[in-house]
Amino acid sequence: SLAPSMQPTESPSLTPSLQPSEFPSLKPSLQPSELPSLKPSMQPSELPSLKPSLQPSKSLQPSLKPSISAFPSSQPSAKPSFSLQPSRPLLTLSPPNTNSGLVGYDGIMFDIHAKSQNIHIDTFLLKIFTVSNAYNLLEPFTLTLYTAPGGYYGTSDGKVKEEWTEIASVKMSTTTTLADHILPNDTFESVLIKKDTTMGFYITIEDPQRNKKILTRPGSTLGGVDPGLENEDLHATEGLVKQWDPCLDWGATFLVPETLSPRPRRFYGDIIYTNEGLSEPTDSPSDAPSLGPSVSLVPSVSTVPSGDPSASGSPSNIPSGAPSVSRAPNMKPTESFMPSYSLVGLSTPVIADNNAVDGEDAGGSGDGVMFDMVADKSLEVYSISFGEMAGYPMNIRVYSRLGSHYDAYDDASKWDLIQSYTNYTYDVDDNDNPRRISFPPQGMGAGTTRAFYIAIVETYGEITPLLRGVISGEKYLDGTWASDDRLSIMEGVKFYGISESNPFGQGTPESGIYMHGPPGGTSFNLKGAVIRYKPRDTASPSTAPSESQVPSASQVPSLAPTVSDHPSEAPSISSKPSLGPSMGPSISFKPSEGPSEKPSLRPSLSTKPSQSPSVSANPSSMPSEMPSSQPSSIPSESPSISGQPSGEPTSIPSEPPSISMMPSFRPSISLSPSVERYTLTSSSAGNVSAAYGVMFDILPKRAVVIETFHIEFLASSVKNFDLRVYARMGGWSGQATNQGAWTEIGHIATKTNSQNLVELPYVAIEPVTVYAGQVQSFYIACQGHYFKVKQDSQGTFTDGTDMKLFTGERKFNDDTLFRSGESWYRFQGIVKYSKVSDPPSSMPSGLPSIIPSSIPTGAPSNVPSLVPSDAPSTSALPSSSTKFPSDVPSTSNAPSSIPSTAPSSAPTTSKPTSPPTTAKPTSLAPTGPLGSRVQISIPSMITIEGFDRPQTVAEANTIVSIVAPSIAQLVNADLAPGQTLRSVLIVSVNGVRVNSSFSFRRRQLESVSRQLSNHIDIEYEIQVQQICAAAGCDDAQEVANDLYAAVTTNMQKEIDGGNFVTALKETALTVLNRSLEIEISDPVFEELVVTVLALLNTPSSAPSGQPSSRPSEHPSES
């Protein structure tokens, strides 16, 4: 039977029972029991027990080794112990008694650190759990103990097997599912841990069936002190847990799935040890005690320093592992340059002054938060903990950058990704802060700003990952959200709709920054968060510079500059620059935090600009983040990223246009003009009303481009607004219910709880150009919720400097956008617009300007005008870049190389240029009929790669000025006698008609560089004439077909031969003053359009389009 008898047998068994009897045997077994008895034996066994009894023996004969019992014997031994080790009281350090968070694992690694004196670890008492339904409940299992001096942890995991020493391996068994098991100390020598040193322990069950587990307690930080196993003698540390792998004969580490780092756990058992004092045991005792300490001049070989300083004149070759406990100071200063500090926590508010409910802010959520930190003193930021966070898995990215986020909130290239989490869930076992997001330390010098962006890029379909952990403020960027004497957290913003592929969003309120306004506006901030940082004060610098030719290893600069010829490899971390420049430039790739008072002899090799402008005579290759008080003598390669222009213009303008909201004082040489925006605030004295839509007319007094609107929403809580903006040329009256009469120019979906003016994004609305005296109507419609309008009278209007805005009609339903509405209501908000020139006349004037310019230009323009001048050029030379002649005759002495496309409207001079000729006419009869002509139009399209995608009308017209003359050159190259190119008309660029009333987007591209588009589609039309051979042009269709075939075939030949690409490159070089890499695809020629022009039998009242074959023999009478 596996169960023991209730009474003992009269004679002992030949083999011991697997389980102890409830009563002791009357006679001892011939072999010791494999398990300890519950009660002590009356007399000692002939052989020692494999495991000691739980209670001390009552035998009068002492054991050969001291007892490990926690209870002393009831009486002293009759004979002395044979052990060479003196008896000492056993001490026990036990963990808290708890059932919370206990989990069983095959093995656990942890450290024990001896504090004030040497200790011996005699054994451990473990709590081992057995699966209740295990079929091998009674089967013995192997428990193995390993040690590793210095600790259990390696580079990124527990130390490998080769770094451990096996000191015990014993067979054990259990009878219950949860039982205490003590590791017999007679199976291994006690482990000495010297004062101020650490020993690693690895206790593991080698059970292939994995039915036995060692219970552990929850931990939080690998290597951290275990507060439940600490007293004045020692402390244990939090360790990692293992799963036994019989194939490897070693344990595999359990990892946290989200971070792939070892799972921290704490040992749940007793540590049984003895104190050994501070002495080192000798191999044999001395004959007599020493009268005093050793005065040897040779240092001890001990790795533990003495309590008092050594009297030796020669220091140890190896430094102590811990600082000396001597009260006498060293003769030399310590090698450390920075004091040690603990982590400091800065908490953010849980309530905002503007939105409190019952003492706590209701708060909202978001997918990302972005804010600045400003350091008043030098420090390092280690982690950010959320106040509220959902418990489902999510992917998180943490970004940081030196400087503010304000000019970089949508540009990922300006940020550093410093940490990523996959399937992050917060740790409920972390009592300190379970929602902590840790990252590598981010250094901040005194007075510097560093921006942080925490982006939750994947929630697997879940919403509100931060629950109510984000609350609003009222001083975006300018206001301080939380601060202490070292660090300030500034008010920031939040993001919605971000993803793995677009961590910074797509530039809309639904996918990107939410309600981004100017400094001082609405902000969004972390509620109840904790920012953990460590101070980084520096020690006092030297009073004089080092004279060494090798730079010092100190991280603190001297008060005076070094005289070393070798610059430091890393930049100084001082918040104050050196008083004198270095002899050579820094080789660091990180710029200094502040400019030096004197410029370097050579420019910095860094690829990043300084935060403040350089005082160097040579500018950086990249612009500074702040404008200079004085302009640079040489322009930057790229425009400044400042939101304000320089106080004075540079001596040479930048090649790309400025992205500043304010124009420069001097003109840019860019082909894209600066745009200044204006506003018209529309309001009235009428009553405020709610509307789902409003129609209204504007009447400009000059040419303007309507770009966007500011709307006053009506929302006391967060509401969804689905806005659509429509436009039509002419008034809205009579078309209020006719959707076909309107063109949708914008669609914006947003969420807001604001009752203030909210600007609709520029990028979401197609700008509309309206000329003076032209009525243009707009319809702003909203589905989902309503906004503000004001009631007024018919015919009333808001009168602005450049336009009038008239009272119109409101819509008070959101199910049908074009249902009839109610009159009269006026738009309540702001119209934002820019000014443009009025459209040019369809034809040049016949006479020169009445009043010429007072001062002519010093030299002709490098780029021809996009519209011909009203008066001829006064230059003595024709323009070098013009491919087409002017429609007005030139006053130049050198004629154009190409004849005019149309006759002059007036003679070039008021008098004949020379006396009349006296030669007689060669013929007495007038010239005969010139014959009829056939004119064909060939609509065509071609795709060109290599141009920048046009952003404005000016840029589109620049492309026209390059492409049109190149096509003309292509056609003229192979025309036969009698064939004439009449015109090349560019119809559209990328589907937008060049002369359309809807202009190209006038977008400022913030700090994002323009990207080359894959292609630009050009639609154009060629008009070619040919004189008919037959009278009356009876063969017009045949002539047209032959002309179409000849022109298109020759054009295709020129394109295939590369001549068209060459012409485009040459014209672009002339117009843009830079080379382009251009490629073209096969052109598309559509069906021709034939026109037969009238027969020319009578003299013309105007000069012909072709020069005469002979000069006239009679002067002109005019």
Side-chain angles (χ1 to χ4, degrees), residues 337 538-542 556-557:
F337 294 98
T538 57
S540 299
S542 306
V556 182

Side-chain angles (χ1 to χ4, degrees), residues 3 68 88 94 193 495 572 591 615 622 673 706 739 769 785 816 838 848:
I68 61 167
R88 292 184 179 88
S94 301
I193 307 177
F495 284 69
S572 167
V615 296
M622 295 178 65
I706 307 300
Q739 185 170 358
T769 302
H785 209 66
T816 303
D838 286 321

Side-chain angles (χ1 to χ4, degrees), residues 9 11 45 59 84 225 274 411 473 594 612 782 802 827 850 1058 1091 1118:
T9 59
S11 58
S45 304
S59 170
L84 295 177
V225 175
T274 55
D411 188 354
S612 299
C782 183
D802 300 311
F827 169 66
I850 297 175
T1091 304
S1118 58

Side-chain angles (χ1 to χ4, degrees), residues 81-148:
S81 169
F82 294 104
S83 171
L84 295 177
Q85 298 181 11
S87 298
R88 292 184 179 88
L90 287 175
L91 304 174
T92 302
L93 177 59
S94 301
N97 187 16
T98 178
N99 292 324
S100 175
L102 298 180
V103 179
Y105 294 94
D106 295 354
I108 181 171
M109 289 181 177
F110 61 96
D111 292 341
I112 296 177
H113 179 81
K115 292 184 176 181
S116 57
Q117 57 181 314
N118 305 332
I119 62 173
H120 271 91
I121 303 299
D122 288 282
T123 190
F124 298 94
L125 186 141
L126 304 86
K127 297 184 182 297
I128 296 180
F129 174 78
T130 304
V131 179
S132 59
N133 59 352
Y135 69 91
N136 60 347
L137 176 66
L138 303 179
E139 287 292 325
F141 59 90
T142 301
L143 186 68
T144 306
L145 175 64
Y146 299 85
T147 58

Side-chain angles (χ1 to χ4, degrees), residues 369-383:
V369 286
M370 183 182 290
F371 52 89
D372 293 348
M373 296 187 189
V374 179
D376 297 322
K377 299 178 182 178
S378 184
L379 53 85
E380 291 177 334
V381 182
Y382 280 75
S383 66

Side-chain angles (χ1 to χ4, degrees), residues 1097-1115:
N1097 286 328
T1098 59
S1100 173
S1101 61
S1104 64
Q1106 298 286 337
S1108 303
S1109 59
R1110 292 186 299 172
S1112 173
E1113 297 182 1
H1114 299 280

